[in-house]
Amino acid sequence: MKTVKLCGPNLKTQLTIAITGSENASLSVAIEVNFVENGESQKGKLLLHTKNPLHHKSMTDNILCFTGTIVNNNFRRPCMGCYYTKDVIEECWMTIIEMETEIFKVYIGKTEFIKQCKEYYRSQGFKFTEDGNLVDGFPSFRNMPKEGDLIGVLINRKEIEVSTEMYKNLFPIVRKKGEIKEIIFGEFIEEHMIKTYSAEEAKIRGVIIK
């Protein structure tokens, strides 16, 4: 990840109104911004997906948080940002999410995975949709799993455990590096192919990670 300072005309007004709701929205409604990255001045377009996704009791109208996609040099990268203003101070910072992606093949396909997810949900009394997604998010993955936690594990592969739970088409993956465990997320992109995403990318897609 890298954090850069944004500037542009009427930035607060544009941030307030330019909620596109989709990364596929037209660039014509994106915000024109300037920022410095790797020591060079850059021009780009910022597409906003959500506004004020971070809720905190100390927040005021002077702070505006957002998630979105920054587009420049024909690249699209997810980002999170925060605009702050008070008196003559006006600052906007954006954290660009550097994607951490791996694609691997699994012996169980998406169809069977969804079937086993549903069986697991029924056994736990979880609400779910017909396409295999949980209705209320990840009840057992709000924190790092502990020994003895009840988690339906479907696939074991090279220090990777994939849970039979899915929300917004993403499922949690516990990745072990020696004694350290971390949570990333996966998604079936084909019947037998999984693509992984960082926790930051999952947050942008609406997964709540506490």
Side-chain angles (χ1 to χ4, degrees):
M1 294 190 297
K2 62 181 68 175
T3 300
V4 297
K5 187 175 182 180
L6 293 181
C7 58
N10 302 316
L11 198 53
K12 182 181 181 181
T13 300
Q14 292 192 72
L15 287 172
T16 303
I17 64 175
I19 304 300
T20 65
S22 169
E23 64 181 15
N24 296 318
S26 170
L27 287 177
S28 63
V29 297
I31 300 171
E32 298 278 356
V33 293
N34 297 317
F35 58 97
V36 175
E37 183 180 11
N38 300 326
E40 296 183 2
S41 179
Q42 306 273 350
K43 291 184 178 181
K45 292 190 174 185
L46 175 64
L47 287 80
L48 298 187
H49 307 320
T50 60
K51 182 177 66 174
N52 282 342
L54 307 176
H55 299 286
H56 193 281
K57 62 183 179 181
S58 65
M59 270 201 165
T60 69
D61 291 338
N62 296 332
I63 300 175
L64 179 66
C65 298
F66 59 88
T67 62
T69 299
I70 186 71
V71 183
N72 75 311
N73 297 326
N74 295 319
F75 288 102
R76 290 175 175 243
R77 293 179 288 173
C79 62
M80 297 183 289
C82 183
Y83 169 89
Y84 173 81
T85 181
K86 187 173 182 181
D87 300 326
V88 296
I89 300 173
E90 179 179 321
E91 291 190 350
C92 185
W93 294 86
M94 171 183 69
T95 299
I96 301 172
I97 309 301
E98 299 293 345
M99 301 214 182
E100 193 177 315
T101 298
E102 178 187 2
I103 296 176
F104 58 89
K105 189 172 184 178
V106 292
Y107 67 92
I108 294 180
K110 180 179 180 180
T111 303
E112 179 63 22
F113 176 78
I114 291 174
K115 177 183 175 182
Q116 293 199 30
C117 281
K118 291 180 178 180
E119 290 176 359
Y120 178 62
Y121 301 154
R122 291 187 188 100
S123 72
Q124 302 302 310
F126 298 152
K127 296 179 182 178
F128 60 93
T129 61
E130 281 304 308
D131 60 0
N133 282 285
L134 286 162
V135 172
D136 300 319
F138 296 111
S140 61
F141 263 83
R142 297 230 168 103
N143 295 291
M144 188 70 73
K146 300 178 180 63
E147 186 176 352
D149 282 353
L150 187 59
I151 300 168
V153 174
L154 178 64
I155 303 163
N156 284 289
R157 175 189 175 274
K158 294 182 179 179
E159 304 298 319
I160 287 178
E161 295 177 350
V162 180
S163 169
T164 48
E165 293 179 323
M166 191 164 65
Y167 181 61
K168 294 188 179 292
N169 294 324
L170 299 175
F171 43 85
I173 298 173
V174 178
R175 181 166 60 186
K176 301 175 185 177
K177 294 183 178 179
E179 297 298 318
I180 300 174
K181 290 184 178 181
E182 65 174 341
I183 292 181
I184 57 176
F185 288 81
E187 178 179 28
F188 274 97
I189 56 174
E190 294 179 14
E191 181 65 17
H192 289 274
M193 299 297 292
I194 288 177
K195 182 177 180 179
T196 63
Y197 299 89
S198 67
E200 288 80 11
E201 290 175 79
K203 288 180 183 178
I204 289 176
R205 289 189 43 182
V207 174
I208 298 173
I209 307 167
K210 295 184 178 181

